[in-house]
Amino acid sequence: ETHGISFRIQINVKELLDKDILLKLLFHLPVSYPSTPPDISVNSDQLTRAQCMDVKEQLLEQAKQHLSEPMVHDLILWVQQHLKGVIKQSATVCNEKTTLSEGTEDGIWMLLLHLDHMRAKAKYVKTVEKWASNLRLTGRLMFMGKIILILLQGDRSSIKEYLILQKTSKVDVDSSGKKCREKMMRVLCETEVQSQHKRFQTFEVKEYSALEELQKEFETAGLTTLFSEFVPPLLK
């Protein structure tokens, strides 16, 4: 009612070199849809980030031509028919997955989130791990006493995509056991990764028995300032 809905669609398009290109499209339909166009994110293991951005920009242009009428199906058909034309000016299709270490034109970004609680902890953790894997995000889901933090690193578009999922998906249950959205999440920090910051190579779920252990995790990653600015206040 307040956030709209988000959903992912995967389609295969036979394109360059007669190879199937798997496109992963994430649509976020705002409450005002279709009077307002959807937010769209495009990912593919066979395309470069620049090619994915080109496809996204073309889809958003097409969406503007369909305002006030349902458009997702039309957008899917359009990308199936025009993908080759959109990417033909870009570099050749990559055969290997783009790794985070290669970076992107947007740079690598970092996100620190604070969650108030997890009632259905096992399901919630599994969901966060799945999203991080799908979006190729690395980092930590950290538990220390009642403190729950999610620290993510990755492409800026993937970070934003994660935030949409976190805010709009039913990831937990309420006091009566009914599935519910995350309404008490706070974004503590969203910034570009700097040279002094170390990159996480994987996404891990970790529990810490003392604040000193949690602090050491941040310090090892070159994030001492981030820790001192945002974590101690959570204990008050």
Side-chain angles (χ1 to χ4, degrees), residues 150-168:
I150 300 177
L151 180 61
L152 298 170
Q153 292 178 345
D155 294 346
R156 190 176 189 184
S157 60
S158 295
I159 292 286
K160 291 187 176 297
E161 201 170 318
Y162 180 92
L163 273 174
I164 292 174
L165 289 169
Q166 183 77 58
K167 292 176 181 177
T168 60

Side-chain angles (χ1 to χ4, degrees), residues 112-161:
L112 181 63
L113 302 175
H114 173 247
L115 303 181
D116 184 74
H117 62 272
M118 286 184 181
R119 286 195 174 91
K121 183 176 177 179
K123 177 180 177 295
Y124 205 133
V125 169
K126 188 174 181 180
T127 299
V128 171
E129 288 180 311
K130 179 182 177 183
W131 288 343
S133 174
N134 288 345
L135 296 170
R136 292 192 217 151
L137 297 172
T138 60
R140 299 286 185 268
L141 170 52
M142 302 176 281
F143 296 91
M144 201 287 293
K146 293 184 178 181
I147 293 178
I148 306 172
L149 298 170
I150 300 177
L151 180 61
L152 298 170
Q153 292 178 345
D155 294 346
R156 190 176 189 184
S157 60
S158 295
I159 292 286
K160 291 187 176 297
E161 201 170 318

Side-chain angles (χ1 to χ4, degrees), residues 1-33:
E1 296 85 358
T2 58
H3 297 290
I5 61 172
S6 295
F7 56 90
R8 184 185 301 273
I9 294 178
Q10 296 190 163
I11 58 171
N12 274 302
V13 184
K14 189 175 289 292
E15 279 298 338
L16 301 178
L17 307 177
D18 290 326
K19 288 185 178 180
D20 281 350
I21 294 178
L22 179 63
L23 282 183
K24 302 172 185 177
L25 307 173
L26 181 76
F27 291 90
H28 174 236
L29 309 186
V31 177
S32 54
Y33 173 85

Side-chain angles (χ1 to χ4, degrees), residues 44-203:
S44 175
D45 292 339
Q46 291 92 23
L47 301 181
T48 65
R49 171 56 61 181
Q51 289 170 329
C52 288
M53 291 299 291
D54 287 342
V55 174
K56 173 184 174 179
E57 289 174 5
Q58 291 295 323
L59 281 173
L60 290 175
E61 285 299 316
Q62 289 298 312
K64 293 177 183 177
Q65 300 177 26
H66 293 276
L67 290 180
S68 300
E69 61 186 59
M71 66 185 75
V72 173
H73 182 253
D74 288 328
L75 295 178
I76 296 296
L77 292 178
W78 186 90
V79 78
Q80 287 177 317
Q81 295 168 3
H82 296 87
L83 179 63
K84 187 174 182 177
V86 175
I87 66 175
K88 68 180 180 180
Q89 301 298 328
S90 302
T92 55
V93 176
C94 295
N95 291 320
E96 297 180 0
K97 290 186 177 182
T98 302
T99 60
L100 284 172
S101 60
E102 291 173 353
T104 68
E105 70 274 19
D106 289 333
I108 301 302
W109 281 67
M110 178 169 56
L111 177 70
L112 181 63
L113 302 175
H114 173 247
L115 303 181
D116 184 74
H117 62 272
M118 286 184 181
R119 286 195 174 91
K121 183 176 177 179
K123 177 180 177 295
Y124 205 133
V125 169
K126 188 174 181 180
T127 299
V128 171
E129 288 180 311
K130 179 182 177 183
W131 288 343
S133 174
N134 288 345
L135 296 170
R136 292 192 217 151
L137 297 172
T138 60
R140 299 286 185 268
L141 170 52
M142 302 176 281
F143 296 91
M144 201 287 293
K146 293 184 178 181
I147 293 178
I148 306 172
L149 298 170
I150 300 177
L151 180 61
L152 298 170
Q153 292 178 345
D155 294 346
R156 190 176 189 184
S157 60
S158 295
I159 292 286
K160 291 187 176 297
E161 201 170 318
Y162 180 92
L163 273 174
I164 292 174
L165 289 169
Q166 183 77 58
K167 292 176 181 177
T168 60
S169 303
K170 293 184 177 180
V171 290
D172 206 2
V173 296
D174 59 21
S175 56
S176 63
K178 185 179 179 181
K179 291 181 180 180
C180 65
R181 296 186 181 93
E182 177 58 72
K183 297 179 180 178
M184 300 183 72
M185 177 196 77
R186 284 197 298 145
V187 177
L188 299 180
C189 180
E190 184 179 357
T191 184
E192 190 167 9
V193 171
Q194 305 300 316
S195 58
Q196 69 269 26
H197 301 150
K198 293 185 180 179
R199 297 287 308 284
F200 292 107
Q201 298 303 310
T202 59
F203 182 82

